[in-house]
Amino acid sequence: MNGARILIVDDDTANIRALTSLLGDSHEIRFATSGARALELAAADPPDLVLLDVVMPDLDGYAVCRRLKADPATADIPVIFITSLAGPEEEALGLEIGAVDYITKPFSPAIVRARVATHLSLRRANRRLRDENEHLESLVEERTRRLAQAQREKMTALRQIVIGVAHEINTPIGVALGSASHLADRVAELSQRLADGRLSRSDLDRFLESAADLAGLLSGSIVRAGRIVRYFKGVAADPGGVRQPVPLRPLLELAAVNQRPLWQPRGHRVAVSCPAGLAMESYPDILSSIIEQLLRNAVEHGYGEGEAGLITLEAAAAGEGTVRLTVADDGCGLPDGVAGRALEPFFTTRRATGSVGLGLTIIYNLVTDRLGGTLAITGAGGADGGASGGGTAVTIRLPARTPAEL
């Protein structure tokens, strides 16, 4: 048999027989009547898909799903809940803990077949992508061994970004797919009840509640996926524009004005320090985006809830045809171990609040690859020229005349 291996988990043997009859002609079926037995079978020989009931006497389906997702050997197995629990809270919980779909009993055979086929197809596509990615990684690794250490570090960083994007974007897309699928089912169900003359006010109320929850999940997932894509595009952004004289004090002042809606309502102050007449020959759009992103980082990461402070934007000549730009805050500073990892792609201490962890990666890429400079993160008042006091300083050293080609 060339079909997939499907593990059916349900304490009701009638449901197991029904699903086996429905899927057994084209897939290899195994079953378990308890959550503990399901975990044993999945660990011994991971299936391609799990059809999981929620209400079971020992471990319920939610607990089984959590354990599957917590084990690296079974974390990528798609789980579809098939249950009599039809409330929106249960559906939302099932999706949040890692299920890819949620089907309510009594189920439609056509819907079960379609959902199973869809998620098996997605799993095969993910496996092919993983295999191709591993093959590409082996080619990249072979090439990097022939390059200098600096080139090897760049390729490693690029590989981390690609893997990070795939990891970060998989969850919102999976949640969006499940939410859209469930919303379509609810619309079809409501339409059928309306056509049959069986639509009641309670049916409509349940639909509206479920639709609102699913729409929220769908919208939030799409927004997060879009944010990740925009950040990823920023990593490879072309500088564009024309190299030209850039007076630095007006550039810093404009960056503070552009970000005023972010920092002023929180009670922060922004000070600009730059000698009159100091200028570079560079790309003003890139310089502006770097300063504004660092200012946003200081506001969003430098202070706790309700705290306000001083953020300094500084430019100074650094000798030997170089310029030093510093964005410093007097906030909470960097926790132990963070400074050394702050430039890693997707590293963030604020993931729970929606941070992707690519802002500093983009800035570092622009500074080093586009402008020919260096970037350092220190405690403010550190050796690289930050402002006095506590907090954090990001210091950028750039050639006063950006090279035409790097």
Side-chain angles (χ1 to χ4, degrees):
M1 180 179 296
N2 295 323
R5 294 172 299 169
I6 297 176
L7 175 60
I8 301 172
V9 186
D10 199 311
D11 62 337
D12 188 341
T13 56
N15 290 329
I16 293 176
R17 284 196 299 271
L19 289 170
T20 300
S21 176
L22 183 63
L23 302 170
D25 58 338
S26 53
H27 301 290
E28 177 185 334
I29 303 298
R30 290 178 293 166
F31 68 88
T33 57
S34 70
R37 179 57 178 161
L39 293 172
E40 292 176 0
L41 291 174
D45 186 14
D48 297 305
L49 180 72
V50 175
L51 300 179
L52 181 58
D53 188 21
V54 172
V55 181
M56 293 186 293
D58 53 351
L59 290 174
D60 67 16
Y62 295 140
V64 173
C65 185
R66 287 191 181 96
R67 295 194 185 186
L68 289 174
K69 296 304 173 182
D71 186 346
T74 57
D76 66 341
I77 299 173
V79 174
I80 299 177
F81 281 116
I82 299 185
T83 176
S84 58
L85 298 180
E89 297 85 359
E90 288 82 3
E91 293 184 16
L93 176 59
L95 294 174
E96 288 172 0
I97 63 176
V100 297
D101 218 330
Y102 195 103
I103 301 173
T104 56
K105 299 175 184 177
F107 53 79
S108 162
I111 287 178
V112 172
R113 287 197 189 95
R115 301 284 182 80
V116 167
T118 294
H119 292 295
L120 287 175
S121 177
L122 286 172
R123 179 171 172 78
R124 287 192 293 269
N126 285 334
R127 282 179 169 177
R128 286 196 298 270
L129 181 61
R130 181 187 63 192
D131 292 340
E132 291 170 1
N133 185 59
E134 290 174 353
H135 176 63
L136 289 174
E137 286 184 347
S138 67
L139 295 178
V140 168
E141 290 171 355
E142 180 65 27
R143 177 173 175 79
T144 56
R145 282 193 289 268
R146 298 185 177 95
L147 298 176
Q149 180 63 32
Q151 183 66 15
R152 290 202 300 271
E153 291 175 354
K154 290 180 181 180
M155 295 304 296
T156 300
L158 176 60
R159 188 166 60 254
Q160 290 173 341
I161 289 176
V162 172
I163 295 172
V165 167
H167 173 75
E168 289 286 334
I169 209 167
N170 185 57
T171 295
I173 286 180
V175 172
L177 175 64
S179 300
S181 175
H182 289 310
L183 188 57
D185 289 346
R186 295 295 170 268
V187 171
E189 179 183 349
L190 192 71
S191 298
Q192 187 62 53
R193 285 184 173 274
L194 179 62
D196 295 343
R198 297 183 294 111
L199 183 62
S200 66
R201 177 56 184 264
S202 61
D203 292 331
L204 183 59
D205 289 342
R206 284 195 298 271
F207 169 78
L208 292 175
E209 183 180 0
S210 177
D213 290 339
L214 292 171
L217 284 172
L218 183 60
S219 176
S221 299
I222 292 173
V223 167
R224 178 165 178 78
R227 185 186 302 123
I228 294 168
V229 170
R230 286 194 299 274
Y231 272 126
F232 189 53
K233 288 172 66 178
V235 174
D238 184 76
V242 177
R243 189 177 58 175
Q244 58 188 277
V246 183
L248 290 179
R249 185 174 185 88
L251 182 136
L252 297 180
E253 290 174 340
L254 181 59
V257 170
N258 288 341
Q259 296 302 309
R260 181 176 291 160
L262 178 66
W263 56 264
Q264 191 173 56
R266 305 186 189 193
H268 299 303
R269 293 177 296 127
V270 174
V272 172
S273 174
C274 178
L278 182 64
M280 297 175 58
E281 187 171 343
S282 189
Y283 299 97
D285 289 345
I286 297 179
L287 290 171
S288 295
S289 66
I290 289 171
I291 297 300
E292 291 186 17
Q293 179 63 53
L294 289 175
L295 178 52
R296 286 195 295 271
N297 282 0
V299 172
E300 294 172 355
H301 300 282
Y303 303 91
E305 185 69 27
E307 295 179 349
L310 174 65
I311 302 170
T312 303
L313 311 181
E314 180 182 1
E320 299 181 357
T322 62
V323 172
R324 186 183 71 235
L325 302 176
T326 304
V327 177
D329 65 72
D330 60 354
C332 59
L334 297 174
D336 292 341
V338 169
R341 301 189 59 195
L343 297 177
E344 293 181 13
F346 297 101
F347 176 79
T348 176
T349 59
R350 297 288 185 90
R351 192 172 306 280
T353 61
S355 175
V356 175
L358 277 176
L360 280 175
T361 301
I362 293 172
I363 291 172
Y364 181 79
N365 183 69
L366 292 174
V367 168
T368 58
D369 291 349
R370 303 295 193 263
L371 302 182
T374 62
L375 182 149
I377 303 174
T378 66
D384 215 354
S388 62
T392 303
V394 178
T395 303
I396 298 168
R397 292 181 180 272
L398 298 171
R401 188 174 189 272
T402 299
E405 295 183 3
L406 297 178

